[in-house]
């Protein structure tokens, strides 16, 4: 028992240190935005894609290289403000994937071809909304709502689940998650968003009621973040793995740590855009 507690304490310390490093990285890059943030997000995306391609068995293979090239080109287009080239890029990636598929047949299966696009879109394009949100009007304030809704939801859902959780939300996929915890996560994120809006509202020029709008955005983000968390778990269960990688000590891989943020980032972006347009 003493040995187990010792191991658990060591594991907690490693997770804590890694978490602090991640927070410091965010504090150093997110406020700066621009090319610095884009480069960091691009690197994180490529690592995430690599983790998924390992799962799908296409890492370091020609089919996977097409996906890596597509992701690199996508971030290059963002840097050059050539978003109009993204759709032609995706068409080109699709054609190249099919060319590799047919000319190397039967080396790859159709599920691996689909895996190229899945990894590119999931870990590549969706995560880029972290950068795109930062580049919006009021983006220097809005971008933090991504982290508030994701991490705030995780913490609130855990606390409420421990205290009040009775009804399992996804008993087969994640037995410890409860409906009560999920609701608590959404409400907790909303309260954090409201407090954030009160504190920074005067600096937000695009919102007329920042406290209410930030609360609404965070609640939407929190709801979606839980889908992202469960989706990442489902993929691991399907492929019989515990973690996507070991790059972040105590947490696993990029896809283990950023699973909810990947889903939350585009939702925060579009929710903020909608509110800025309507209100």
């Amino acid at each position: 028992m003493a040995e187990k507690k010792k191991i658990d304490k060591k594991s907690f310390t490693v997770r804590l240190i890694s978490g602090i490093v991640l927070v410091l990285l965010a504090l150093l890059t997110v406020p700066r935005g621009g090319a610095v943030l884009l480069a960091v997000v691009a690197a994180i995306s490529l690592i995430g894609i690599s983790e998924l391609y390992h799962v799908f068995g296409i890492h370091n293979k020609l089919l996977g290289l097409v996906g890596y090239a597509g992701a690199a080109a996508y971030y290059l287009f963002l840097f050059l403000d050539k978003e109009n080239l993204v759709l032609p890029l995706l068409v080109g990636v699709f054609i190249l994937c099919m060319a590799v598929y047919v000319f190397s047949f039967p080396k790859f299966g159709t599920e691996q071809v689909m895996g190229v696009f899945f990894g590119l879109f999931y870990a590549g394009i969706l995560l880029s909304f972290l950068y795109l949100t930062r580049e919006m009007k009021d983006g220097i304030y809005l971008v933090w709502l991504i982290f508030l809704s994701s991490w705030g939801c995780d913490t609130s859902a855990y606390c409420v689940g421990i205290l009040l959780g009775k009804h399992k939300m996804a008993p087969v996929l994640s037995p410890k998650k409860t409906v009560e915890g999920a609701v608590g996560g959404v409400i907790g994120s909303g309260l954090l968003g409201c407090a954030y809006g009160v504190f920074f509202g005067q600096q937000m020029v695009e919102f007329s009621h920042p406290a209410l709008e930030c609360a609404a955005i965070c609640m939407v983000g929190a709801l979606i973040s839980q889908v992202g968390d469960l989706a990442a778990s489902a993929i691991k269960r399907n492929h019989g793995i515990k973690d996507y990688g070991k790059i972040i000590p105590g947490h696993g891989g990029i896809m283990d740590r950023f699973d909810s943020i990947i889903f939350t980032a585009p939702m925060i972006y579009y929710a903020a855009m909608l509110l800025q347009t309507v209100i």
Side-chain angles (χ1 to χ4, degrees):
M1 181 65 72
E3 181 65 22
K4 182 177 180 180
K5 289 183 178 179
K6 183 178 180 181
I7 293 174
D8 290 343
K9 183 178 180 180
K10 181 179 179 181
S11 177
F12 173 78
T13 302
V14 171
R15 286 179 60 86
L16 179 62
I17 293 173
S18 296
I20 292 173
V21 171
L22 289 174
V23 170
L24 289 175
L25 178 63
L27 291 174
L28 288 172
T29 59
V30 173
R32 295 187 65 177
V36 172
L37 179 59
L38 181 63
V40 171
V41 173
I44 293 173
S45 292
L46 286 169
I47 296 171
I49 292 172
S50 173
E51 292 173 354
L52 287 170
Y53 285 1
H54 269 100
V55 173
F56 301 146
I58 54 177
H59 175 68
N60 283 342
K61 295 183 179 179
L62 183 57
L63 194 59
L65 293 178
V66 174
Y68 292 131
Y74 170 72
Y75 278 95
L76 176 61
F77 290 161
L78 290 186
F79 176 73
L80 297 174
D81 290 325
K82 299 293 184 179
E83 287 86 351
N84 59 308
L85 296 178
V86 172
L87 183 57
L89 169 67
L90 295 178
V91 173
V93 171
F94 174 76
I95 293 174
L96 283 175
C97 283
M98 295 308 294
V100 173
Y101 175 54
V102 297
F103 289 115
S104 63
F105 190 85
K107 183 177 181 179
F108 300 107
T110 52
E111 69 281 357
Q112 291 175 305
V113 176
M114 291 185 287
V116 173
F117 270 90
F118 181 80
L120 172 59
F121 192 83
Y122 185 13
I125 294 177
L126 292 187
L127 194 57
S128 72
F129 280 89
L130 183 62
Y131 162 78
L132 293 173
T133 301
R134 173 61 183 84
E135 295 302 298
M136 294 177 71
K137 291 181 179 179
D138 289 336
I140 193 170
Y141 301 105
L142 294 174
V143 70
W144 295 108
L145 297 179
I146 296 173
F147 300 99
L148 275 180
S149 57
S150 297
W151 296 343
C153 180
D154 286 345
T155 303
S156 301
Y158 176 78
C159 293
V160 174
I162 290 294
L163 294 173
L164 304 174
K166 292 182 179 179
H167 302 88
K168 304 296 183 182
M169 183 170 65
V172 176
L173 180 58
S174 187
K176 294 183 179 180
K177 294 186 183 298
T178 63
V179 175
E180 292 82 1
V183 174
V186 173
I187 295 174
S189 294
L191 292 174
L192 285 173
C194 181
Y196 183 83
V198 169
F199 193 78
F200 291 103
Q202 293 184 344
Q203 284 76 41
M204 297 182 187
V205 298
E206 292 295 314
F207 287 160
S208 55
H209 303 90
L212 293 177
E213 290 153 356
C214 287
I217 289 173
C218 277
M219 291 178 76
V220 172
L223 189 63
I224 300 300
S225 74
Q226 297 182 67
V227 178
D229 184 30
L230 290 171
S233 297
I235 296 171
K236 289 191 288 187
R237 288 289 185 91
N238 280 154
H239 292 85
I241 59 174
K242 182 180 179 182
D243 295 316
Y244 284 100
K246 299 179 180 179
I247 193 171
I248 308 176
H251 294 269
I254 291 297
M255 297 303 298
D256 295 294
R257 181 65 276 178
F258 288 82
D259 51 3
S260 59
I261 288 179
I262 287 172
F263 273 55
T264 304
M267 290 303 102
I268 297 295
Y269 176 85
Y270 287 115
M273 181 179 292
L274 178 63
L275 286 175
Q276 288 178 353
T277 303
V278 174
I279 299 177

